[in-house]
Amino acid sequence: MAGLAKGLAVLEAFGASAPRLSISEAARATGLSRATALRCLNTLAELGYVAFDGKFFTPTPRVLRIGATYGETAALPQLAQPHLSAIREAIDESTSLAVRYETDSLFVARSEGARLLNTGVRVGARLPLYASSTGQVLLGSLTDSELSDYLATTEFTARTSHTPTTADAVAERIEAARTDGMAISNEELEPGLLSIAVPVLDPAGHIVAAISVSASTSRVTVDELRDRVAPVMQRHATALGRQL
């Protein structure tokens, strides 16, 4: 089991900022020794999860089989997919579902629109909670004590000049999301990118997920998101919540 845990840690070290890893980089990223990292990488290569070019290891498509298991077996993504598709059809924009995972929003379902927008959002992608509309909604699920801990321990790195970078600024956005029943990110995550998220509540009234829509500032305004898009999203978020 210890070996399995180490192998999974090495596999999770790959990402957008580390699409390929040398043995030293894998060891640094995981805190493992070079020898242990090498054993894990060699095993992953033998199983077909990574490829080796003589210097760097790179994930293979087989890794998708692991991630696909969640979407194929978990109730939430399966129940959400028809609602995401319906929202996409109604507003002609890509729609996603995210849950809170550690300090990130983790996207677990998505319905792509005809207009492709390079937001980096895909199933399995993670965005920082404080800088994303989904995250600001999901942070509303925390108790006062949990939120205080999050605000005290998180480093709020600026993604753009609009990113909230203080605990007070993040707390204000979370409270606004709770009050408004939505969060709108206006170029806080990426320049030229608008996004809106609404909460999905379970029958007990707890926030379990967030539905989001992203669009270019050249095509959509904040008022349009609030007045035209939000009602459609909220209607389907409510219907999804009733199914949980």
Side-chain angles (χ1 to χ4, degrees):
M1 289 296 98
L4 174 61
K6 292 172 184 176
L8 290 173
V10 169
L11 200 55
E12 288 187 347
F14 293 98
S17 60
R20 60 180 190 166
L21 293 171
S22 66
I23 299 167
S24 297
E25 290 168 340
R28 250 193 329 271
T30 58
L32 300 173
S33 68
R34 277 178 51 90
T36 301
L38 176 58
R39 285 197 297 272
C40 291
L41 287 165
N42 282 339
T43 299
L44 290 169
E46 289 173 9
L47 294 173
Y49 288 104
V50 299
F52 184 51
D53 65 5
K55 183 177 181 180
F56 292 102
F57 291 85
T58 308
T60 69
R62 182 166 185 171
V63 174
L64 294 173
R65 293 172 58 182
I66 299 175
T69 302
Y70 177 79
E72 292 171 356
T73 60
L76 181 58
Q78 290 182 332
L79 292 173
Q81 200 62 54
H83 294 287
L84 300 182
S85 297
I87 295 171
R88 180 206 64 206
E89 291 297 323
I91 65 174
D92 195 24
E93 300 288 354
S94 297
T95 309
S96 305
L97 181 80
V99 297
R100 183 167 59 88
Y101 180 74
E102 298 177 343
T103 58
D104 293 327
S105 290
L106 172 65
F107 290 85
V108 297
R110 182 164 171 82
S111 183
E112 292 282 358
R115 297 167 175 155
L116 295 180
L117 183 65
N118 185 21
T119 63
V121 173
R122 65 192 184 285
V123 173
R126 293 163 65 168
L127 296 176
L129 291 167
Y130 70 91
S132 58
S133 59
T134 52
Q136 291 165 12
V137 165
L138 293 169
L139 284 169
S141 68
L142 300 182
T143 64
D144 290 343
S145 175
E146 290 170 336
L147 182 56
S148 294
D149 288 343
Y150 171 81
L151 294 173
T153 58
T154 301
E155 181 179 352
F156 304 114
T157 304
R159 300 287 294 258
T160 73
S161 60
H162 300 283
T163 306
T165 54
T166 66
D168 286 344
V170 174
E172 286 177 7
R173 282 164 171 76
I174 297 167
E175 185 57 35
R178 284 171 169 168
T179 301
D180 300 339
M182 72 180 79
I184 295 178
S185 173
N186 189 351
E187 299 189 274
E188 294 179 9
L189 187 65
E190 298 287 347
L193 178 67
L194 279 173
S195 68
I196 181 172
V198 301
V200 176
L201 307 179
D202 67 14
H206 302 132
I207 298 173
V208 295
I211 293 175
S212 70
V213 167
S214 298
S216 169
T217 54
S218 65
R219 193 173 67 248
V220 179
T221 67
V222 170
D223 287 342
E224 284 180 292
L225 286 181
R226 183 180 291 110
D227 299 336
R228 179 177 68 88
V229 176
V232 178
M233 296 172 66
Q234 289 169 331
R235 184 165 63 250
H236 283 280
T238 297
L240 173 57
R242 290 180 181 143
Q243 294 177 281
L244 299 179

